[in-house]
Amino acid sequence: MKILHLTVGHVPFDDRIFYKESIALAGSHEVILLAYSRDGLLKTMGGDVRESAVYSNVKVDVFTGKFSGRYLARLERAFGLTQRLLSKLKE
């Protein structure tokens, strides 16, 4: 299964986001961690800057405004699936 993990309120290498969630999921799934950054830089909790790359089997990337074409189709599919599942639960 492919998992797109979005964060807009935390740095991508936040202990909870990266180490406890993304790496745990990457043990059995393909995980992309996509983090919002005003300046377009991937930063650690200490403020160090890292490159977009694969860390511990998790692809880590950044977005600054609107989602780029690389991830937009995945987001649209994920949101569509979520809406369909929620509507079935309401029935």
Side-chain angles (χ1 to χ4, degrees):
M1 177 186 306
K2 293 181 181 181
I3 297 173
L4 179 59
H5 191 163
L6 294 171
T7 180
V8 294
H10 298 89
V11 295
F13 296 101
D14 179 275
D15 291 344
R16 293 164 294 167
I17 301 297
F18 184 73
Y19 294 101
K20 293 184 179 179
E21 296 175 8
S22 293
I23 289 178
L25 290 167
S28 54
H29 305 289
E30 179 184 341
V31 178
I32 297 172
L33 174 57
L34 188 58
Y36 173 77
S37 171
R38 284 186 182 159
D39 56 12
L41 300 174
L42 285 174
K43 295 181 182 175
T44 65
M45 291 188 66
D48 297 328
V49 176
R50 291 194 179 176
E51 296 292 322
S52 295
V54 176
Y55 298 94
S56 300
N57 294 326
V58 176
K59 183 177 188 309
V60 182
D61 208 345
V62 66
F63 69 97
T64 55
K66 295 183 178 183
F67 291 103
S68 66
R70 294 184 286 178
Y71 301 109
L72 186 58
R74 288 184 185 181
L75 285 171
E76 288 172 343
R77 283 194 301 270
F79 287 129
L81 177 61
T82 302
Q83 289 175 345
R84 288 192 300 275
L85 290 172
L86 289 174
S87 67
K88 287 184 186 266
L89 289 173
K90 290 179 183 178
E91 294 175 354

